[in-house]
Amino acid sequence: QVQLVESGGGVVQPGGSLRLSCAASGFTFSSYGMHWVRQAPGKGLEWVAFIRYDGSNKYYADSVKGRFTISRDNSKNTLYLQMNSLRAEDTAVYYCAKFLGPLGAFDIWGQGTMVTVSS
Amino acid sequence: QSALTQPRSVSGSPGQSVTISCTGTSSDVGGYNYVSWYQQHPGKAPKLMIYDVSKRPSGVPDRFSGSKSGNTASLTISGLQAEDEADYYCCSYAGSYSWVFGGGTKLTVL
């Protein structure tokens, strides 16, 4: 069964850091690009970052560029999001999502992990 | 990139059809055939309903269909059912390996 399970969310102070993980199972993780998408409370979806299947290229939304880093460990079937210099506006549920490709859709989503940035 | 424009809400009675629009620009919706649609029930993760403008993943009922004309994409749900009540989001590739979502539309089944 294809599954993505996020972890690592929590409460962090402004300016702090957090690392999210996304464990994949049920598909050949190393063959697919992966994304992070977030959703602020009561708001819509926002694309955050994309990493190619082999980790060779990474892309970010302007809102997180220079602060967030997406990475993956294909030997552990795990996707990561390192979040630094966190701001109140980063408060959201963070979802990892499998890329259908080539430039299209996100076909499998995790259940999400909540990140709250607050003093 | 600016979010794609969707109506905040739409409604319909069981058995009827509804259409949700998603308006972007020539830099996103109008420039690529990579529009997708997601259904999200409260407290749940989004679910892919349509990809590449009009393709349906396996398991999605054929009551759901997608189309595009110029800078506007549309999701049509025919034969409305109670379980279709949810939030719907469109998404488009926006070039340079970036993606943009719509603001979301709340579908109410009367």
Side-chain angles (χ1 to χ4, degrees):
Chain A
Q1 165 195 4
V2 177
Q3 194 173 11
L4 297 171
V5 179
E6 301 94 337
S7 60
V11 180
V12 61
Q13 292 188 339
S17 299
L18 210 55
R19 188 177 85 153
L20 306 183
S21 299
C22 169
S25 59
F27 65 100
T28 306
F29 179 72
S30 59
S31 296
Y32 293 93
M34 295 292 296
H35 294 260
W36 287 99
V37 177
R38 68 184 180 183
Q39 186 171 34
K43 302 296 184 181
L45 300 170
E46 179 188 13
W47 173 75
V48 172
F50 166 59
I51 185 168
R52 286 188 180 274
Y53 70 99
D54 59 356
S56 59
N57 294 92
K58 307 169 186 182
Y59 304 90
Y60 301 92
D62 289 343
S63 57
V64 306
K65 200 172 295 183
R67 301 188 298 121
F68 289 13
T69 301
I70 189 173
S71 62
R72 64 191 299 160
D73 186 336
N74 285 344
S75 68
K76 295 182 178 179
N77 290 343
T78 302
L79 175 73
Y80 302 100
L81 185 68
Q82 177 67 44
M83 304 185 295
N84 298 330
S85 302
L86 283 161
R87 307 166 180 167
E89 54 265 36
D90 296 318
T91 294
V93 174
Y94 284 74
Y95 296 98
C96 62
K98 172 180 166 288
F99 195 36
L100 185 59
L103 291 173
F106 319 111
D107 62 337
I108 303 296
W109 296 65
Q111 86 288 351
T113 188
M114 182 71 202
V115 172
T116 301
V117 183
S118 173
S119 54
Chain B
Q1 304 90 343
S2 298
L4 307 175
T5 300
Q6 297 181 233
R8 285 211 167 187
S9 64
V10 298
S11 62
S13 300
Q16 288 187 331
S17 294
V18 295
T19 297
I20 301 172
S21 62
C22 170
T23 301
T25 70
S26 58
S27 297
D28 38 62
V29 174
Y32 307 94
N33 288 322
Y34 293 114
V35 176
S36 53
W37 290 89
Y38 302 87
Q39 177 191 67
Q40 187 180 35
H41 288 107
K44 300 295 187 181
K47 175 186 175 184
L48 177 64
M49 305 302 285
I50 295 288
Y51 68 100
D52 294 356
V53 176
S54 60
K55 298 177 182 177
R56 254 187 333 271
S58 62
V60 173
D62 60 6
R63 303 185 294 104
F64 291 84
S65 62
S67 63
K68 190 186 86 167
S69 178
N71 295 338
T72 298
S74 299
L75 172 71
T76 298
I77 309 171
S78 58
L80 266 180
Q81 299 182 3
E83 58 262 34
D84 297 335
E85 183 162 298
D87 293 327
Y88 290 84
Y89 294 91
C90 61
C91 179
S92 176
Y93 179 65
S96 301
Y97 292 95
S98 68
W99 288 262
V100 61
F101 283 92
T105 298
K106 180 177 180 59
L107 169 63
T108 300
V109 180
L110 301 170

